[in-house]
């Protein structure tokens, strides 16, 4: 039902500081408003960066949807670059954490607004950051949230032993967390703004229409249809044609 993660939007206090961290420290390519769909562009109030096919958007809380707070998310780097990233970030003074998942390692650090950023070894070409492969959302009712995203096409692949978390696979890995601190003291994001490509945006909304807050059509022209809703926990979800 959903074919890709188009964007992840975060709330930041200072766009210039966010631009220096993501564009400078993490060497992500800046996107202009012309690179973004019209409903996502906010000139002067945000900065956007390319993470593979996903746009990472950092915006001031001047309008809704605001973007996520204290969101934990993971971006892909080529396996062979991992040691260089670790050395460069450690030399820059960042307090890094590391965890291993099978044969892949991930490093964790915090951006200036308290988002927990994971850089993980993935089968990507690079160079540098080349995709978003995981997003963590905080939810109030784990079973209800799991059922909601299952109806959007996500598949449960792992459940925490104490039921604090569920991991699902879809266009990216989606982790649903009841309130707690995870690896590297990360927290699940609140009011996160996510965009998903879908051949049938209205069909995606129909699948969960009994559990969403509103249905805002933000583009109605052929090949540009887009519909925005809010899930059970107030996360903003936009479904749009690729």
């Amino acid at each position: 039902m959903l074919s890709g993660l188009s964007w992840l939007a975060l709330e930041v206090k200072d766009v210039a500081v966010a631009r220096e961290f993501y564009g400078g420290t993490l060497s992500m390519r800046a996107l202009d408003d012309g690179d973004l769909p019209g409903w996502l562009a906010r000139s002067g109030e945000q900065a956007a960066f390319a993470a593979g096919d996903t746009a990472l958007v950092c915006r001031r809380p001047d309008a809704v949807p605001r973007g996520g707070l204290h969101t934990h998310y993971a971006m892909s780097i080529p396996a062979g670059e991992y040691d260089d990233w670790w050395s460069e970030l450690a030399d820059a003074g960042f307090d890094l954490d590391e965890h291993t998942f099978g044969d892949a390692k991930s490093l964790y650090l915090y951006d200036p607004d308290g988002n927990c950023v994971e850089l993980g070894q993935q089968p990507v070409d690079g160079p540098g950051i080349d995709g978003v492969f995981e997003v963590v959302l905080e939810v109030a009712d784990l079973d209800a949230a799991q059922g909601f995203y299952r109806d959007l096409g996500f598949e449960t692949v792992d459940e925490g032993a104490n039921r604090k978390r569920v991991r699902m696979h879809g266009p990216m890995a989606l982790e649903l967390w009841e309130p707690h601190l995870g690896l590297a003291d990360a927290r699940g994001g609140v009011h996160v703004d996510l965009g998903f490509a879908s051949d049938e945006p209205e069909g995606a909304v129909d699948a969960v229409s009994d559990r969403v807050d509103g249905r805002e059509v933000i583009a109605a022209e052929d090949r540009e249809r887009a519909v925005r809703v809010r899930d059970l926990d107030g996360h903003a979800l936009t479904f749009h044609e690729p």
Side-chain angles (χ1 to χ4, degrees):
M1 187 176 297
L2 308 180
S3 57
L5 177 65
S6 303
W7 71 80
L8 162 65
L10 307 173
E11 178 178 312
V12 302
K13 295 178 181 178
D14 189 317
V15 172
V17 171
R19 184 178 291 112
E20 174 58 30
F21 177 79
Y22 288 103
T25 301
L26 297 188
S27 301
M28 298 177 70
R29 179 173 64 86
L31 298 174
D32 296 327
D33 282 350
D35 298 317
L36 305 173
W39 61 82
L40 191 59
R42 293 185 187 177
S43 297
E45 299 174 353
Q46 68 181 20
F49 306 91
D53 293 330
T54 301
L56 179 69
V57 181
C58 301
R59 66 166 67 112
R60 287 179 54 81
D62 296 328
V64 292
R66 289 163 54 181
L69 285 175
H70 59 68
T71 306
H72 172 38
Y73 65 97
M75 297 192 287
S76 308
I77 57 173
E81 293 185 11
Y82 183 86
D83 290 342
D84 290 338
W85 276 106
W86 181 278
S87 297
E88 183 175 337
L89 293 169
D91 290 346
F94 286 95
D95 182 16
L96 305 179
D97 197 356
E98 180 177 70
H99 293 276
T100 301
F101 306 94
D103 296 329
K105 294 187 291 186
S106 283
L107 65 84
Y108 297 71
L109 73 160
Y110 280 82
D111 78 357
D113 288 277
N115 300 296
C116 184
V117 182
E118 176 183 349
L119 300 184
Q121 292 179 313
Q122 294 287 308
V124 294
D125 294 331
I129 291 169
D130 196 4
V132 174
F133 69 89
E134 176 186 289
V135 179
V136 180
L137 306 180
E138 183 173 289
V139 302
D141 185 325
L142 196 54
D143 288 329
Q146 184 179 5
F148 179 92
Y149 283 97
R150 184 186 300 119
D151 288 345
L152 285 174
F154 285 85
E155 178 185 2
T156 300
V157 295
D158 183 51
E159 297 183 353
N162 59 1
R163 290 293 291 164
K164 282 284 188 181
R165 53 169 285 278
V166 167
R167 185 176 182 86
M168 308 184 80
H169 279 179
M172 78 295 185
L174 179 69
E175 293 228 353
L176 306 174
W177 289 9
E178 293 177 344
H180 73 284
L181 298 181
L183 298 177
D185 286 340
R187 295 173 290 174
V190 298
H191 53 69
V192 179
D193 177 14
L194 297 170
F196 293 102
S198 172
D199 288 336
E200 293 291 338
E202 291 282 3
V205 177
D206 289 342
V208 292
S209 61
D210 58 329
R211 288 156 289 169
V212 298
D213 182 11
R215 179 191 299 226
E216 179 187 4
V217 177
I218 56 178
E221 297 180 7
D222 288 345
R223 297 184 301 279
E224 291 187 2
R225 289 180 296 165
V227 186
R228 178 181 293 138
V229 299
R230 289 190 179 272
D231 74 1
L232 299 164
D233 295 279
H235 302 296
L237 310 177
T238 300
F239 307 107
H240 70 96
E241 290 196 325

